[in-house]
Amino acid sequence: MTSIDPANATATTTAHVSPADGSKRDLAPADLSGRRIYGLLTSVVVPRPIAWVSTRGADGVPNVAPHSYFTVISSDPPILAFVSTGRKDTLRNVEATGEYVINIADEATVAAMNLCAADFPPDQDEFAWAGLTPAPSRVVGAPAVAESPVSIETRLIEVRQYGNGFLVVGEVVHFRIAERVFVDDRVDPGLLAAVGRMSGSTYARTTDRFDLERPTYAGLREQGRQPVR
Ligand SMILES: Cc1cc2nc3c(=O)[nH]c(=O)nc-3n(C[C@H](O)[C@H](O)[C@H](O)COP(=O)(O)O)c2cc1C
């Protein structure tokens, strides 16, 4: 498997001088090029979780590619969505078979995940290129990425086009999660070490975290808190 040592990955920091007056910049989408809007959106909607989607084509060729336009739609029943920007092999396979696996990329698999994003022709198997193991799934026909700590087997509900995005919505039919990431019955985020996508080729780790209790209205009232403006 293609791998990197995340401890030695290039640190990405930006040194810049911000205007001290708190001024804001106004931008109308109609005045911006598609490329600029893409750059803005992918710079501000961050960090994005990554659905590393594995499928099998109607011809049997396995496929796996990352999609960072990815979210939970419902937990009861469990429904997830990702977006294919334009028509790609993943989308074609999902439409042809109605089944796919969403794998989670962690620090150990991030380089392999990135390699899967190369513009391979449809007859090329990204598993083979990235040195990944296609594991048989429990419920669906699509293979899972054996090296991923989490594989979520999913059945297609619908594909809906919005602009240049094809929203792929599917119901989870099976979770396969590495025992090593559990502490009791919960997945420990530090053990999972999932990665998120920033813009371009920049990624974020999920190992630097902090906790913030969510307040309740009743609790705030008990503390004698009032609106402050
Ligand atoms: C971290 C990462 C996230 C990506 N997210 C998306 C995405 O949300 N939607 C998309 O269409 N392509 C995304 N891409 C690009 C696809 O992975 C790439 O176009 C890939 O070749 C598609 O493969 P396929 O043709 O086998 O489906 C992403 C690439 C990377 C590296």
Side-chain angles (χ1 to χ4, degrees), residues 50 63-69 83-86 88-91 113-114 116-120 126 197 203:
I50 300 169
N63 192 94
V64 53
H67 293 75
S68 68
Y69 294 5
V83 174
S84 177
T85 305
K88 298 181 178 177
D89 297 341
T90 300
L91 177 63
M113 177 277 293
N114 187 43
C116 294
D119 55 343
F120 295 110
E126 288 90 353
R197 190 180 187 193
Y203 292 88

Coordinates of all heavy atoms in Angstrom, one line a residue, residues 50 63-69 83-86 88-91 113-114 116-120 126 197 203, ligand 1:
I50 N -13.9 12.7 4.2 CA -13.7 12.1 2.9 C -14.4 10.7 2.8 O -14.1 9.8 3.6 CB -12.2 11.9 2.6 CG1 -11.5 13.3 2.7 CG2 -11.9 11.2 1.3 CD1 -10.0 13.2 2.7
N63 N -13.3 -0.3 -8.4 CA -13.0 1.1 -8.5 C -13.0 1.7 -7.1 O -13.8 1.3 -6.3 CB -14.0 1.8 -9.4 CG -13.6 3.2 -9.8 OD1 -13.0 3.4 -10.9 ND2 -13.8 4.2 -8.9
V64 N -12.1 2.6 -6.9 CA -12.2 3.3 -5.6 C -11.6 4.7 -5.8 O -10.6 4.9 -6.4 CB -11.5 2.5 -4.4 CG1 -10.0 2.1 -4.8 CG2 -11.5 3.3 -3.1
A65 N -12.4 5.7 -5.3 CA -12.0 7.1 -5.4 C -12.6 8.0 -4.3 O -13.7 7.7 -3.8 CB -12.6 7.6 -6.8
P66 N -11.8 9.0 -3.9 CA -12.2 9.8 -2.7 C -13.2 10.9 -3.2 O -13.1 11.5 -4.3 CB -10.9 10.5 -2.3 CG -10.0 10.5 -3.5 CD -10.4 9.3 -4.3
H67 N -14.2 11.2 -2.3 CA -15.1 12.3 -2.5 C -15.3 13.0 -1.2 O -15.8 12.5 -0.2 CB -16.5 11.7 -2.9 CG -16.4 11.0 -4.3 ND1 -15.9 9.8 -4.5 CD2 -16.9 11.4 -5.5 CE1 -15.9 9.5 -5.7 NE2 -16.6 10.5 -6.4
S68 N -14.9 14.3 -1.2 CA -14.9 15.1 0.1 C -16.2 15.9 0.2 O -16.4 16.6 1.2 CB -13.7 15.9 0.2 OG -13.7 17.0 -0.7
Y69 N -17.0 15.9 -0.8 CA -18.4 16.5 -0.7 C -19.2 15.3 -0.1 O -19.8 14.5 -0.8 CB -19.0 16.9 -2.0 CG -18.3 18.1 -2.7 CD1 -17.1 18.6 -2.2 CD2 -18.8 18.6 -3.8 CE1 -16.5 19.7 -2.9 CE2 -18.2 19.7 -4.5 CZ -17.0 20.2 -4.0 OH -16.4 21.2 -4.7
V83 N -21.1 13.7 -3.3 CA -21.3 14.3 -4.6 C -20.2 14.0 -5.6 O -19.0 14.1 -5.2 CB -21.4 15.9 -4.4 CG1 -21.5 16.6 -5.7 CG2 -22.6 16.3 -3.5
S84 N -20.6 13.6 -6.7 CA -19.7 13.5 -7.8 C -19.8 14.7 -8.7 O -20.9 15.1 -9.1 CB -20.1 12.2 -8.7 OG -19.2 12.2 -9.8
T85 N -18.7 15.4 -8.8 CA -18.7 16.6 -9.6 C -18.5 16.2 -11.1 O -17.4 15.8 -11.5 CB -17.5 17.6 -9.2 OG1 -17.6 17.8 -7.8 CG2 -17.5 18.9 -10.0
G86 N -19.6 16.2 -11.8 CA -19.6 15.6 -13.1 C -19.7 14.1 -13.1 O -19.8 13.5 -12.0
K88 N -18.4 10.5 -13.3 CA -17.1 9.8 -13.2 C -17.4 8.3 -13.1 O -18.5 7.9 -12.9 CB -16.4 10.4 -12.0 CG -16.0 11.9 -12.1 CD -15.3 12.4 -10.9 CE -14.9 13.8 -11.1 NZ -14.2 14.4 -9.9
D89 N -16.3 7.6 -13.0 CA -16.5 6.1 -12.9 C -17.3 5.7 -11.7 O -18.1 4.8 -11.8 CB -15.1 5.4 -12.9 CG -14.3 5.7 -14.1 OD1 -14.9 6.1 -15.2 OD2 -13.1 5.5 -14.1
T90 N -17.0 6.3 -10.6 CA -17.7 6.0 -9.3 C -19.2 6.1 -9.6 O -20.0 5.2 -9.3 CB -17.3 6.9 -8.2 OG1 -15.9 6.7 -8.0 CG2 -18.1 6.6 -6.9
L91 N -19.6 7.3 -10.1 CA -21.1 7.5 -10.3 C -21.7 6.5 -11.3 O -22.7 5.9 -11.0 CB -21.3 8.9 -10.8 CG -22.7 9.3 -11.1 CD1 -23.6 9.3 -9.9 CD2 -22.8 10.7 -11.8
M113 N -5.2 6.8 -0.6 CA -6.4 7.4 -1.0 C -6.2 8.5 -2.0 O -6.9 8.6 -3.0 CB -7.1 8.0 0.3 CG -8.3 8.8 0.1 SD -8.0 10.5 -0.5 CE -7.3 11.2 1.0
N114 N -5.1 9.3 -1.8 CA -4.8 10.3 -2.8 C -4.4 9.8 -4.2 O -4.8 10.3 -5.2 CB -3.6 11.2 -2.2 CG -3.3 12.4 -3.0 OD1 -4.2 13.1 -3.5 ND2 -2.0 12.6 -3.2
C116 N -5.6 7.2 -5.5 CA -6.9 6.8 -6.1 C -7.6 7.9 -6.9 O -8.5 7.7 -7.6 CB -7.8 6.2 -5.1 SG -7.3 4.6 -4.4
A117 N -7.2 9.2 -6.6 CA -7.8 10.3 -7.2 C -7.2 10.7 -8.5 O -7.6 11.6 -9.2 CB -7.7 11.5 -6.3
A118 N -6.1 9.9 -8.9 CA -5.6 10.2 -10.3 C -6.6 9.9 -11.3 O -7.5 9.1 -11.1 CB -4.3 9.3 -10.5
D119 N -6.4 10.4 -12.5 CA -7.5 10.3 -13.6 C -7.3 9.0 -14.4 O -7.1 9.0 -15.6 CB -7.4 11.5 -14.5 CG -6.0 11.7 -15.1 OD1 -5.1 11.2 -14.5 OD2 -5.9 12.5 -16.1
F120 N -7.4 7.9 -13.6 CA -7.3 6.6 -14.3 C -8.5 6.4 -15.3 O -9.6 6.7 -14.9 CB -7.3 5.5 -13.2 CG -6.2 5.5 -12.3 CD1 -6.3 5.8 -10.9 CD2 -4.9 5.1 -12.7 CE1 -5.3 5.8 -10.1 CE2 -3.8 5.1 -11.8 CZ -4.0 5.5 -10.5
E126 N -8.0 0.9 -9.4 CA -7.2 1.8 -8.4 C -6.7 1.0 -7.3 O -5.7 1.3 -6.7 CB -8.1 2.9 -7.9 CG -8.4 4.0 -8.9 CD -9.6 3.8 -9.7 OE1 -10.3 2.7 -9.6 OE2 -10.0 4.7 -10.5
R197 N -10.2 16.9 4.3 CA -9.6 17.6 3.2 C -9.8 19.1 3.3 O -10.9 19.6 3.6 CB -10.3 17.2 1.8 CG -9.5 17.8 0.7 CD -10.0 17.5 -0.7 NE -9.1 17.9 -1.7 CZ -9.3 18.0 -3.0 NH1 -10.5 17.6 -3.4 NH2 -8.4 18.5 -3.8
Y203 N -4.4 18.7 3.7 CA -5.3 17.8 4.5 C -5.2 18.3 5.9 O -4.3 18.9 6.3 CB -4.9 16.3 4.4 CG -5.2 15.8 3.0 CD1 -4.2 16.0 2.0 CD2 -6.4 15.3 2.7 CE1 -4.5 15.5 0.7 CE2 -6.7 14.8 1.4 CZ -5.8 15.0 0.4 OH -6.1 14.5 -0.8
Ligands
LIG1 C1 -9.3 14.2 -1.0 C2 -10.1 14.2 -2.4 C3 -11.4 14.6 -2.4 C4 -12.1 14.6 -3.6 N1 -13.4 14.9 -3.5 C5 -14.2 14.8 -4.7 C6 -15.6 15.0 -4.6 O1 -16.2 15.3 -3.6 N2 -16.3 14.8 -5.8 C7 -15.7 14.5 -7.0 O2 -16.3 14.4 -8.0 N3 -14.3 14.4 -7.0 C8 -13.6 14.5 -5.9 N4 -12.2 14.3 -6.0 C9 -11.6 13.9 -7.2 C10 -11.9 12.4 -7.6 O3 -11.4 11.6 -6.6 C11 -11.2 12.1 -8.9 O4 -11.8 12.9 -9.9 C12 -11.2 10.6 -9.2 O5 -10.4 10.4 -10.4 C13 -12.6 10.1 -9.6 O6 -12.4 8.7 -9.8 P1 -13.5 7.9 -10.6 O7 -13.5 8.4 -12.0 O8 -12.9 6.5 -10.5 O9 -14.8 8.0 -9.9 C14 -11.5 14.3 -4.8 C15 -10.1 14.0 -4.8 C16 -9.4 14.0 -3.6 C17 -7.9 13.7 -3.6

